[in-house]
Amino acid sequence: MRREHLLKTWPEFFGAVWERKKLFEVRRNDRRFRVGDTLTLAEFDPKTEEFSGRRISARVSYILEGEVAESMGLKPGYCVMDIEPTYNGRTA
């Protein structure tokens, strides 16, 4: 079953996704992310602890996790997700 996840995203990372330079997310996999899930990235400034109001939706198209990810240096419990951002309802 596909799920939606709202994720705080720091401005430098949000901007890179907005500019289509960063098409992946590295996150602790405490939400059991799955291919097909939708991520809503909400720009959040950790210095002011406020949201900017900008958001991007993205579909998870691939996940690198588990022993394979750990053998490549990722900490246990973390994953790398390939994402397909959408803008105005269209894939970027």
Side-chain angles (χ1 to χ4, degrees), residues 1-71:
M1 183 172 168
R2 294 180 183 173
R3 294 182 292 168
E4 295 185 20
H5 307 275
L6 176 62
L7 303 173
K8 291 180 181 177
T9 306
W10 290 7
E12 59 268 28
F13 304 122
F14 184 92
V17 173
W18 187 265
E19 294 171 4
R20 301 180 184 144
K21 294 179 181 176
K22 178 181 170 285
L23 300 175
F24 64 92
E25 281 293 308
V26 178
R27 298 280 177 154
R28 185 178 340 153
N29 197 359
D30 56 351
R31 299 173 184 230
R32 300 185 63 205
F33 297 109
R34 296 291 172 246
V35 170
D37 285 359
T38 298
L39 308 180
T40 299
L41 306 178
E43 186 177 36
F44 178 81
D45 188 335
K47 294 174 187 169
T48 63
E49 296 188 4
E50 293 182 355
F51 289 95
S52 71
R54 296 197 312 165
R55 292 182 173 201
I56 298 171
S57 290
R59 187 181 76 79
V60 176
S61 57
Y62 180 82
I63 300 178
L64 177 65
E65 62 185 332
E67 291 180 20
V68 174
E70 291 173 27
S71 73

